[in-house]
Amino acid sequence: MERYKIVEDIIKKTTAEVKVKRKTLGDKIDSILLRNSGIGALVSILTLLLAMFFAFTINSGFPLDIIFRSLGLNSLADEIDTYNLGGLLSLGFTMLSNFISSLFTTYNYPEWVISLVVDGIIAGVGAVLSFLPLIFTVNIIMAAFEDSGIMARIAVIFDGVFRKFGVSGKSIFPMVMGFACNVPAVLSTRILENEKERTAVALALPYVMCQARLVVLLFLVTALFTSALTQTLVVISIYLLSVLLFLAMSKIFAKNILKSESNELLLELPPYHIPSLRVIAWTSWERSKDFITKAGVVIFPFSIVIWSFMHIGLHGYVIAPVDSIGYYIGNAICTLFAPMGLNKWEIGISLLAGVFAKEVFIETLAIAFNTPDPHGALIALHLSLAQSIALIVFVMIYVPCIATFSVMYSETKSLRLTLLSLILELFVAYTLSFVIFTALSLI
């Protein structure tokens, strides 16, 4: 008996009872998301899409405006298009343009000076600043994801898939963002720690279908195809093609051009928590503040160059694009598209104008035909099925807008790599369009 008491005393002095820690809600969520790749991927994609839906709705109205229009709520869609951050900023630049135009007219400035300042300089500066609210909003969302522990888990979930293409799971963030706009998508590559991976993803992002290209795509399919089934199949096919091209080009840039090593993703999974407002504000500001300066260095002069192409002819300032240098350039460019049946100067000049902003492709096509109806202008081209698909593929893939071009250059800090990316995009767009046109023509 005495021995048992001695043993009990020793046990009491040398041991301690600790209650087994119960699983927290975060542990239970992780056990579902991280162990079941299918559920984890689905929840992650829905989370990202919801975040992007919020960011782009308050900044551009997209895609909520399209949803309302499909429901017949056109007036409400118009309100959203007007009273979003981007719309209000555009309204401000429109008022500034009207004021400058009126002021210069009062003082009898030449028409070419007014057009240069309003259509060239102010439009160029507006193109830069119109992205700022969107970029800041997206940076806030990314900072919140990082500080809350959500980003680390999404990166782990997608790492296995993206690792096969030479990049880590974190690349899912810029890719999803690219479906709305390539500009903040390129800037968001800063969340990638590996410099070569960051550069590879930034150079591949222009292949992702952005909102502006969606506008052009919907315009093309509704004008060229009457069947709703055909329209749907073409749109879905283009989106799938853009994802495949992004992944393929990411691998080419990462593995073959930049020689990036595929390191294992080592991430600490912090507990879920409410993100710090101070951290979010500081991170968002640091990532956004230099955008205007860096992007403006490229966009401002390039805007003037594009204006010159469209408004200067052999005998000076012109109004109609058919009299401009751009017409002759478009005429020269379109001869290159003869192998795919697109050797029409109207297409050439519209593609040239589309470099400034993809939506300008539609406007320029209408101006080239001297009609306010762009659908009628496209129909007037009398394109066959093979020509139509070839045109759609080329327009969706060829060079990005100048805003994307400028941030690619500012983020990669390499003019050589940026130009290489642009050349590859043209090559891929031309090759795919040619192959598709040839194949469909033989059927």
Side-chain angles (χ1 to χ4, degrees):
M1 227 24 214
E2 191 67 28
R3 282 183 298 177
Y4 287 111
K5 289 183 180 180
I6 295 174
V7 172
E8 287 180 1
D9 290 339
I10 294 174
I11 292 175
K12 289 179 181 179
K13 292 177 181 179
T14 57
T15 60
E17 293 183 5
V18 179
K19 291 184 179 180
V20 177
K21 183 181 178 182
R22 298 180 62 184
K23 281 190 175 182
T24 64
L25 178 61
D27 294 330
K28 295 177 181 178
I29 294 175
D30 284 346
S31 65
I32 297 174
L33 300 183
L34 300 181
R35 293 180 183 177
N36 190 315
S37 58
I39 296 178
L42 178 61
V43 172
S44 298
I45 291 175
L46 290 176
T47 301
L48 291 171
L49 291 178
L50 183 62
M52 293 304 103
F53 181 91
F54 169 76
F56 282 87
T57 295
I58 66 173
N59 281 280
S60 66
F62 170 86
L64 193 59
D65 55 348
I66 294 179
I67 294 174
F68 282 159
R69 290 189 197 285
S70 66
L71 297 174
L73 304 174
N74 294 331
S75 59
L76 190 56
D78 291 337
E79 292 290 321
I80 293 175
D81 285 337
T82 303
Y83 298 105
N84 56 70
L85 295 181
L88 292 174
L89 200 58
S90 297
L91 180 61
F93 274 99
T94 300
M95 294 173 63
L96 177 62
S97 297
N98 293 337
F99 172 76
I100 294 296
S101 179
S102 176
L103 182 65
F104 280 18
T105 302
T106 302
Y107 286 95
N108 297 319
Y109 278 85
E111 188 175 354
W112 71 268
V113 174
I114 299 175
S115 179
L116 172 61
V117 174
V118 174
D119 301 325
I121 297 175
I122 294 180
V125 174
V128 180
L129 294 180
S130 64
F131 286 103
L132 186 59
L134 174 59
I135 289 169
F136 191 70
T137 304
V138 168
N139 281 332
I140 289 176
I141 292 173
M142 290 297 101
F145 278 179
E146 282 182 294
D147 196 44
S148 64
I150 294 176
M151 179 176 289
R153 287 162 173 84
I154 294 179
V156 170
I157 290 169
F158 284 97
D159 190 61
V161 175
F162 278 77
R163 185 69 57 185
K164 296 177 182 178
F165 296 93
V167 293
S168 70
K170 278 192 173 183
S171 301
I172 185 69
F173 291 94
M175 189 196 79
V176 172
M177 214 174 300
F179 286 118
C181 182
N182 289 167
V183 175
V186 173
L187 290 171
S188 71
T189 57
R190 296 181 184 184
I191 65 174
L192 305 175
E193 291 83 3
N194 185 300
E195 183 178 351
K196 289 185 177 180
E197 178 188 356
R198 184 164 61 245
T199 301
V201 174
L203 296 174
L205 276 169
Y207 292 93
V208 178
M209 274 280 298
C210 64
Q211 170 193 347
R213 273 178 278 191
L214 174 60
V215 173
V216 180
L217 178 60
L218 294 177
F219 160 71
L220 291 173
V221 297
T222 53
L224 295 173
F225 308 110
T226 55
S227 169
L229 177 60
T230 304
Q231 294 172 355
T232 303
L233 289 175
V234 170
V235 171
I236 293 175
S237 299
I238 291 295
Y239 268 94
L240 291 175
L241 177 64
S242 73
V243 173
L244 292 175
L245 286 175
F246 165 75
L247 293 173
M249 295 309 297
S250 294
K251 186 170 185 177
I252 290 174
F253 279 114
K255 295 294 184 181
N256 301 99
I257 297 177
L258 298 172
K259 309 294 183 183
S260 176
E261 296 182 3
S262 183
N263 299 321
E264 291 298 323
L265 181 67
L266 298 177
L267 282 177
E268 176 188 359
L269 293 180
Y272 293 99
H273 63 278
I274 298 175
S276 166
L277 292 179
R278 174 182 287 185
V279 172
I280 292 175
W282 181 83
T283 304
S284 304
W285 172 245
E286 286 298 314
R287 290 175 178 173
S288 304
K289 68 179 181 180
D290 59 344
F291 163 73
I292 299 176
T293 303
K294 288 183 177 180
V297 169
V298 176
I299 293 178
F300 180 77
F302 201 79
S303 300
I304 297 177
V305 171
I306 292 295
W307 177 89
S308 300
F309 283 156
M310 305 300 292
H311 293 88
I312 295 180
L314 299 178
H315 304 290
Y317 173 73
V318 298
I319 298 177
V322 70
D323 299 321
S324 68
I325 297 174
Y327 165 76
Y328 297 98
I329 296 175
N331 227 344
I333 290 175
C334 75
T335 58
L336 299 174
F337 300 138
M340 60 185 76
L342 300 176
N343 53 329
K344 301 175 185 292
W345 76 267
E346 296 92 346
I347 294 178
I349 195 173
S350 298
L351 289 172
L352 179 64
V355 174
F356 182 80
K358 282 295 178 285
E359 305 95 322
V360 180
F361 174 89
I362 301 173
E363 177 186 350
T364 306
L365 190 63
I367 293 174
F369 276 93
N370 194 28
T371 174
D373 178 22
H375 280 82
L378 188 59
I379 294 173
L381 291 173
H382 302 293
L383 300 178
S384 65
L385 174 63
Q387 291 173 316
S388 299
I389 298 296
L391 175 63
I392 289 173
V393 170
F394 189 87
V395 173
M396 292 302 104
I397 300 175
Y398 89 115
V399 296
C401 65
I402 58 173
T404 303
F405 172 84
S406 66
V407 295
M408 284 172 61
Y409 171 66
S410 67
E411 291 302 301
T412 61
K413 299 178 177 62
S414 172
L415 181 60
R416 179 182 67 86
L417 288 175
T418 303
L419 290 176
L420 176 61
S421 175
L422 295 175
I423 292 171
L424 283 175
E425 285 173 58
L426 285 170
F427 174 77
V428 172
Y430 191 94
T431 302
L432 284 177
S433 298
F434 171 72
V435 171
I436 290 172
F437 172 75
T438 303
L440 292 177
S441 297
L442 294 175
I443 298 176

